[in-house]
Amino acid sequence: MPIPPRPTSNQPSLPQSIDATQAMLSDENYICDRALATLVYLALTLKRPVFLEGEAGVGKTELAKTLAKALGRDLIRLQCYEGLDAASAVYEWNFAAQMIALRAAGEGGLDEDALFSDKYLIRRPLLEAMQPHENGPPILLIDEIDRTDEPFEAFLLEALSDYQVTIPELGTIKAPEPPIVILTSNRTREVHDALKRRCLYHWVDYPSFEREFDILQARAPEASETLSREVVAFVQSLREADLFKNPGVAETIDWAKCLVALDAVALSPEVIADTLGAVLKYQDDIAKLAGSEATRILDTARARLATQ
């Protein structure tokens, strides 16, 4: 059952080059390398889904949010979890409203077409992404696909291959224009190859010192250059320690904002001890930095800064 497209409003046009894509993202304070900008440009040009894999907190989800803002598109997010099924991701019938309508109709009742109509349909993210939108095809974020089960992955193959979903009572609904699809995975398990083959793939790694510093300056401009450099150097040194969970870029930004709120102008062992909960999320990791270990890492970080 195809849906006629609506006229679109004046939204920003798609970037026409890799450099333009990188600049567009940078204008929204999303600092990425050329490889990721190339992937985004190709995805927008070829209308292919993007599969982003990497550690938590490195900017996978943020890319979808940034694209929605930069292109003036709606962001539709499907947060994945164990046990997610097609019904929860696509649609549900409003049974309460249907029952009320049946009772109001009295003995004559309602025919099936009236009962199973758009009036009683609750659209979930996948179906909503297939609808026409006034400002153009939306950004569909399928977040943390690795948390779902394999049967749901198999269901996604139809949606990502033909950009359509099937509702037994209404038939097949096909998107008038493909949404811009971004899938993310923290790699808690391997995602099936059949799903990955339908996407352009990119591993989002921890950034270099220079890029993480640029990200921090863009996202937390209130932090001084000196403090920002120390924070980035310290966090990068933490990632080389034997931690259960390395801090991501999101934690770098959160920590810098906490330090600014405390009027800290530089790192010290005391300030680090007081604010570790902003950058580390597991007690065992925090305990490892007790005593002289935080001082040792801070000295290492400052030594690196002195050589740059």
Side-chain angles (χ1 to χ4, degrees):
M1 187 172 82
I3 304 171
R6 300 173 187 166
T8 57
S9 60
N10 293 327
Q11 75 266 13
S13 59
L14 297 179
Q16 300 301 305
S17 67
I18 298 170
D19 290 337
T21 303
Q22 196 166 16
M24 178 188 72
L25 296 173
S26 179
D27 288 344
E28 299 298 336
N29 293 330
Y30 189 91
I31 312 299
C32 69
D33 58 21
R34 187 173 177 82
L36 182 53
T38 301
L39 187 87
V40 172
Y41 169 71
L42 291 173
L44 296 176
T45 303
L46 302 177
K47 303 185 186 304
R48 291 281 302 278
V50 172
F51 190 100
L52 300 177
E53 203 165 35
E55 298 293 337
V58 293
K60 302 184 299 296
T61 300
E62 194 64 29
L63 177 61
K65 295 179 181 178
T66 301
L67 273 178
K69 186 177 179 181
L71 297 174
R73 307 292 179 88
D74 296 328
L75 175 65
I76 299 173
R77 180 174 182 171
L78 175 61
Q79 180 61 53
C80 298
Y81 55 86
E82 186 177 353
L84 177 67
D85 58 12
S88 301
V90 180
Y91 76 101
E92 289 183 74
W93 290 110
N94 190 336
F95 292 117
Q98 287 173 323
M99 291 302 297
I100 292 172
L102 282 172
R103 290 172 182 171
E107 293 184 1
L110 292 173
D111 60 38
E112 185 174 347
D113 289 341
L115 194 59
F116 291 99
S117 65
D118 192 68
K119 179 180 179 180
Y120 303 107
L121 185 66
I122 301 174
R123 294 184 179 89
R124 296 306 183 196
L126 286 182
L127 179 57
E128 184 61 32
M130 303 298 172
Q131 304 296 302
H133 290 251
E134 291 184 359
N135 51 354
I139 308 294
L140 173 60
L141 170 62
I142 303 176
D143 213 9
E144 298 182 331
I145 184 65
D146 52 317
R147 292 181 178 270
T148 63
D149 305 315
E150 290 188 8
F152 183 74
E153 282 186 42
F155 164 76
L156 278 180
L157 295 180
E158 177 192 13
L160 296 184
S161 296
D162 303 318
Y163 294 103
Q164 64 183 33
V165 293
T166 301
I167 300 175
E169 298 86 353
L170 299 179
T172 298
I173 297 176
K174 185 176 180 64
E177 293 184 75
I180 300 169
V181 182
I182 296 180
L183 300 95
T184 74
S185 168
N186 294 335
R187 208 175 187 182
T188 58
R189 70 169 178 86
E190 287 294 335
V191 175
H192 199 280
D193 287 344
L195 184 59
K196 284 187 175 182
R197 281 199 303 270
R198 283 158 174 78
C199 307
L200 299 176
Y201 175 87
H202 186 78
W203 174 267
V204 185
D205 208 345
Y206 294 118
S208 64
F209 176 88
E210 292 77 12
R211 189 154 62 87
E212 190 161 10
F213 174 74
D214 290 341
I215 292 169
L216 185 54
Q217 289 282 279
R219 294 284 176 163
E222 63 274 19
S224 68
E225 180 178 344
T226 299
L227 180 61
S228 295
R229 291 176 66 84
E230 284 196 347
V231 165
V232 172
F234 189 88
V235 171
Q236 296 227 333
S237 296
L238 277 180
R239 292 184 187 131
E240 297 175 0
D242 186 20
L243 299 178
F244 178 76
K245 175 65 178 69
N246 287 331
V249 180
E251 283 74 33
T252 304
I253 297 169
D254 286 346
W255 193 28
K257 290 181 176 180
C258 289
L259 294 171
V260 170
L262 294 174
D263 296 324
V265 295
L267 292 181
S268 68
E270 295 76 22
V271 168
I272 293 171
D274 290 342
T275 58
L276 269 180
V279 70
L280 298 177
K281 307 301 179 181
Y282 288 89
Q283 176 55 31
D284 288 349
D285 289 341
I286 293 175
K288 286 181 180 179
L289 266 71
S292 61
E293 183 62 13
T295 302
R296 185 192 67 79
I297 294 178
L298 179 58
D299 290 342
T300 300
R302 284 176 170 163
R304 286 183 173 181
L305 286 176
T307 62
Q308 290 183 352

